[in-house]
Amino acid sequence: MSEYPRDEFDDVPEDGARQGAHRGHNPNARAGSRGKFLVILVTGVLALVLGAVAFVNAPRTAQEALALPAAAVAVSPD
């Protein structure tokens, strides 16, 4: 046997009906997890799509406009 001093856990009967929280079966432990996962997944996909659309449709910055040749920026006087 071990040489550790006795504590409160030594007084628990070995054949008792109680089980530790990590050992007990809880059928509701995963309830709603699939729905929550789908909400998070859809939100993430929508955020990526919104970011991609914003990136593609974003106006050019002033530095990019200044870097273009003058002929590409000039408007014809028609």
Side-chain angles (χ1 to χ4, degrees), residues 18-45:
R18 284 187 70 179
Q19 293 182 344
H22 63 285
R23 295 185 184 165
H25 177 67
N26 185 0
N28 295 326
R30 294 181 55 118
S33 62
R34 183 174 184 196
K36 289 178 185 177
F37 172 73
L38 289 176
V39 168
I40 292 171
L41 182 68
V42 168
T43 304
V45 169

Side-chain angles (χ1 to χ4, degrees), residues 38-62:
L38 289 176
V39 168
I40 292 171
L41 182 68
V42 168
T43 304
V45 169
L46 287 176
L48 286 174
V49 168
L50 181 64
V53 168
F55 179 76
V56 170
N57 292 329
R60 291 186 173 168
T61 62

Side-chain angles (χ1 to χ4, degrees), residues 3-26:
E3 299 296 324
Y4 295 107
R6 291 186 58 79
D7 59 9
E8 62 188 270
F9 301 107
D10 293 324
D11 298 332
V12 178
E14 291 185 26
D15 58 350
R18 284 187 70 179
Q19 293 182 344
H22 63 285
R23 295 185 184 165
H25 177 67
N26 185 0

Side-chain angles (χ1 to χ4, degrees), residues 64-76:
E64 291 175 344
L66 293 175
L68 291 175
V73 177
V75 178
S76 60

